Amino acid sequence: YIYDQGIYTFLSPHVVRIESEEAKDLLNEKDLLILDARKDEEFRTSHLQGALHSDPAMLDTIPKNQALLIYCTIGVRSNREAQKASEKGFQQIYEMKDGIIGWANATFQLIDLDGQPTDSVHTYNKSFSPLLKKGTAVY
């Protein structure tokens, strides 16, 4: 149950944890602001098209009625970020619980800093790299 709700957001009614397939569908249906909750080095390796690299002050500059899609590597840091967004008053927060690794494994497009498609995924560390089934692990 906690995995479905998230360790940080199991009491947050405004956070919906979704798989990458659901996220892809939502991106086609809703105006979502995509926030990448990973470190700069990870973001620079690859990210979802349209994603912004999140920083701690960013949530203070975004209108609270903006729907958010937040992701990280495997759904821990994004869950923490989703909790912060909920505490700051955001009402529509979608968190990708399988992270960028799930996105890559579903063979959805990732881009590099130049906006070019890439199959490289920063897996946070070597121990998470076996989770990446489709793509090139970087750590």
Side-chain angles (χ1 to χ4, degrees):
Y1 176 74
I2 287 180
Y3 179 73
D4 285 341
Q5 294 302 113
I7 191 76
Y8 297 102
T9 58
F10 69 95
L11 295 177
S12 299
H14 304 298
V15 177
V16 180
R17 297 191 84 212
I18 59 176
E19 303 282 343
S20 47
E21 289 84 2
E22 296 170 275
K24 184 151 177 60
D25 290 343
L26 270 177
L27 286 168
N28 292 326
E29 298 167 11
K30 285 184 167 263
D31 177 28
L32 295 173
L33 181 64
I34 308 168
L35 299 178
D36 186 315
R38 300 174 303 147
K39 294 179 182 173
D40 185 58
E41 175 186 348
E42 296 168 273
F43 180 81
R44 294 171 74 77
T45 300
S46 65
H47 52 271
L48 276 64
Q49 187 165 354
L52 300 174
H53 183 243
S54 184
D55 68 61
M58 185 178 280
L59 292 175
D60 295 329
T61 65
I62 302 168
K64 303 301 183 241
N65 63 348
Q66 173 63 58
L68 305 175
L69 172 64
I70 305 172
Y71 71 92
C72 64
T73 304
I74 60 167
V76 176
R77 291 175 287 174
S78 58
N79 194 246
R80 193 176 313 123
E81 183 99 358
Q83 175 200 24
K84 290 176 186 171
S86 180
E87 289 170 354
K88 289 188 178 280
F90 288 87
Q91 303 288 311
Q92 290 184 71
I93 306 160
Y94 300 94
E95 187 225 341
M96 222 163 60
K97 65 184 176 183
D98 55 354
I100 197 169
I101 289 179
W103 186 269
N105 286 342
T107 65
F108 298 147
Q109 186 180 64
L110 293 170
I111 60 170
D112 63 18
L113 276 183
D114 295 323
Q116 297 302 308
T118 182
D119 77 338
S120 294
V121 177
H122 199 296
T123 59
Y124 183 71
N125 61 36
K126 189 175 183 175
S127 64
F128 288 157
S129 63
L131 299 173
L132 183 66
K133 307 297 183 205
K134 308 270 176 80
T136 303
V138 176
Y139 43 85

